[in-house]
């Protein structure tokens, strides 16, 4: 019902207003160099926002400065959620990311990325939310050949990865009461306009 979620953002091959975000906590310098270095080498001119661990090294922060990366230093807190079907404090010794102690760290990337994007007033162009550890850029994701981004763009896994996989079958069935066989959509890599991405990240957090 919100027409802004289906609007088109014109980029005309200019990535200066675009944003690439990832939760990239606890990696070694070479992992950041592979991710950030290949992205900048591709010609990407926009914002790079990375969530990093509280003990991130000065060497890594110095590298971020040279590559114009905005680090978001996380704060670990005790988790408040409990194991499914169990009243014990299963994650009493585990850590979560403030201010979202009620969800696992890997799930907190959705509200964290929403907050980072919402707080970035100059992030007006299209947005790519992705994984950092296993990604190398071969070209600017919003550069030459990309004229515009419309709404939200999801990406399918390999055809053999379907919603019947145990990773998705049981939560879809238990939480939604439905079962179907479709190609799985990747939650690690998503592209969209600013408005569509903010809406998507909010929905993922609520779910």
């Amino acid at each position: 019902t919100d027409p802004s979620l289906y609007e088109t953002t014109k980029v005309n091959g200019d990535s200066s207003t675009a944003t690439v975000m990832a939760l990239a906590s606890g990696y070694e310098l070479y992992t950041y160099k592979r991710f950030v270095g290949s992205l900048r080498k591709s010609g990407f001119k926009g914002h790079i926002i990375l969530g990093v661990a509280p003990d991130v090294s000065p060497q890594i922060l110095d590298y971020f400065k040279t590559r114009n990366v905005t680090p978001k230093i996380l704060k670990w807190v005790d988790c408040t959620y409990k194991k499914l079907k169990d009243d014990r404090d299963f994650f009493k010794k585990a850590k979560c990311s403030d201010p979202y102690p009620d969800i696992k760290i890997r799930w907190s990337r959705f509200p964290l990325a929403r907050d980072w994007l919402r707080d970035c007033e100059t992030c007006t162009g299209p947005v790519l939310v992705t994984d950092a550890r296993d990604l190398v850029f071969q070209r600017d994701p919003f550069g030459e050949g990309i004229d515009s981004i419309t709404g939200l763009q999801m990406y399918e896994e390999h055809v053999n990865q379907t919603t019947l996989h145990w990773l998705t079958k049981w939560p879809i069935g238990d939480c939604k009461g439905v079962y179907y066989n479709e190609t799985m959509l990747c939650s690690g890599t998503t592209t969209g306009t600013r408005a569509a991405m903010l809406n998507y990240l909010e929905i993922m957090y609520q779910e």
Side-chain angles (χ1 to χ4, degrees):
T1 58
D2 185 352
S4 69
L5 301 179
Y6 304 91
E7 291 179 351
T8 295
T9 296
K10 294 288 185 180
V11 290
N12 297 319
D14 179 7
S15 58
S16 58
T17 63
T19 304
V20 173
M21 296 190 296
L23 180 59
S25 173
Y27 299 151
E28 299 293 335
L29 178 59
Y30 69 84
T31 300
Y32 296 110
K33 284 187 173 182
R34 182 175 59 209
F35 179 82
V36 174
S38 64
L39 180 56
R40 287 300 186 203
K41 189 175 181 180
S42 75
F44 181 74
K45 302 174 183 177
H47 306 81
I48 303 176
I49 302 175
L50 299 180
V52 296
D55 60 351
V56 59
S57 71
Q59 185 182 17
I60 291 174
L61 293 177
D62 287 342
Y63 173 72
F64 286 168
K65 287 182 181 180
T66 66
R67 290 297 192 172
N68 194 21
V69 174
T70 301
K72 295 293 184 176
I73 300 177
L74 306 176
K75 178 184 178 182
W76 298 149
V77 293
D78 292 335
C79 300
T80 59
Y81 66 94
K82 297 178 181 180
K83 187 180 179 182
L84 284 174
K85 302 177 182 178
D86 195 333
D87 291 330
R88 295 177 301 166
D89 291 331
F90 184 73
F91 285 95
K92 189 173 183 180
K93 295 182 179 180
K95 295 299 180 183
C96 289
S97 180
D98 184 64
Y100 304 105
D102 56 333
I103 54 177
K104 299 176 182 179
I105 290 176
R106 64 177 178 269
W107 291 347
S108 66
R109 60 186 167 142
F110 297 109
L112 287 170
R114 176 204 59 188
D115 296 345
W116 301 337
L117 180 59
R118 195 163 49 192
D119 293 343
C120 180
E121 295 181 356
T122 54
C123 300
T124 57
V127 182
L128 168 63
V129 176
T130 187
D131 298 323
R133 183 173 56 181
D134 56 356
L135 181 62
V136 175
F137 290 91
Q138 296 178 304
R139 60 181 296 182
D140 185 342
F142 301 108
E144 184 178 353
I146 306 298
D147 296 325
S148 60
I149 299 294
T150 301
L152 190 71
Q153 300 179 358
M154 309 295 291
Y155 302 95
E156 290 184 341
E157 300 278 7
H158 188 272
V159 291
N160 291 336
Q161 294 283 16
T162 74
T163 49
L164 294 181
H165 188 283
W166 69 267
L167 187 64
T168 54
K169 181 180 179 180
W170 73 262
I172 292 174
D174 288 357
C175 297
K176 299 300 181 181
V178 295
Y179 297 91
Y180 58 94
N181 185 12
E182 297 290 346
T183 304
M184 190 188 302
L185 296 179
C186 175
S187 63
T189 300
T190 312
T191 306
T193 63
R194 177 186 173 91
M197 187 61 71
L198 285 172
N199 186 67
Y200 161 74
L201 294 171
E202 174 64 24
I203 289 173
M204 290 296 282
Y205 174 47
Q206 294 302 327
E207 286 296 323

